[in-house]
Amino acid sequence: MPRVTAHRKAHFNAAHRLFNPAWSDAKNKEVFGKCSNPNYHGHNYELIVSVTGEVDPVTGFVMDLSILRELIKSEIEEAFDHKNLNIEVEEFKTLNPTVENISVVIYNKLRAKIRASLDISITLYETPRNYVTYSG
């Protein structure tokens, strides 16, 4: 049976501050630049969730994308959209919300809900030019 990758795009808007609480404001500014602004800053994140697996001979799907859409909505968009990640999202109260760490958190949330026989990959755009991909 052929292996195919299906993709679902989504987006969310969120604020964050990159900083290490063990460092001084000067050190945070040196390492994270304007992203360490104590008053936070925001991004319009673009998310692509990719699911790879064998095509089901009965449905023709790798995964029903309407199910993936609902998982992304309930697990990611509702949790992150229009939130201050540092303050309002539990995972980032002790984890610096870099685009790398956000992609890992998204992966873990979705991995727990998508059957293990499917491979998943997260591509997260923080800006049109800055993005990461995480596959576990």
Side-chain angles (χ1 to χ4, degrees):
M1 195 48 73
R3 287 181 59 81
V4 174
T5 302
H7 307 274
R8 175 73 188 179
K9 291 176 93 174
H11 71 274
F12 59 92
N13 305 316
H16 69 160
R17 177 185 183 206
L18 302 184
F19 77 108
N20 182 329
W23 295 347
S24 67
D25 285 341
K27 175 72 173 180
N28 275 296
K29 187 171 184 179
E30 176 188 327
V31 173
F32 299 114
K34 63 184 179 180
C35 294
S36 73
N37 179 350
N39 294 312
Y40 306 92
H41 69 284
H43 296 282
N44 299 317
Y45 292 93
E46 294 293 330
L47 172 64
I48 301 170
V49 178
S50 303
V51 180
T52 303
E54 291 186 3
V55 175
D56 183 298
V58 175
T59 65
F61 296 154
V62 169
M63 177 180 185
D64 183 334
L65 292 181
S66 66
I67 293 171
L68 183 58
R69 179 188 71 229
E70 289 304 315
L71 283 173
I72 293 168
K73 181 180 178 189
S74 66
E75 298 297 317
I76 309 309
E77 292 173 330
E78 289 177 7
F80 294 177
D81 192 36
H82 285 81
K83 302 284 175 61
N84 182 317
L85 299 177
N86 301 73
I87 296 170
E88 297 177 87
V89 177
E90 194 62 38
E91 291 89 346
F92 300 113
K93 290 183 178 178
T94 58
L95 180 66
N96 204 6
T98 61
V99 69
E100 294 89 344
N101 284 334
I102 298 167
S103 71
V104 172
V105 168
I106 290 171
Y107 174 93
N108 290 336
K109 285 173 154 291
L110 294 175
R111 178 74 279 171
K113 304 285 184 172
I114 296 172
R115 68 181 192 272
S117 63
L118 297 174
D119 296 327
I120 66 170
S121 177
I122 303 302
T123 300
L124 184 63
Y125 285 79
E126 187 173 69
T127 72
R129 294 187 183 112
N130 296 336
Y131 64 97
V132 300
T133 299
Y134 180 67
S135 303

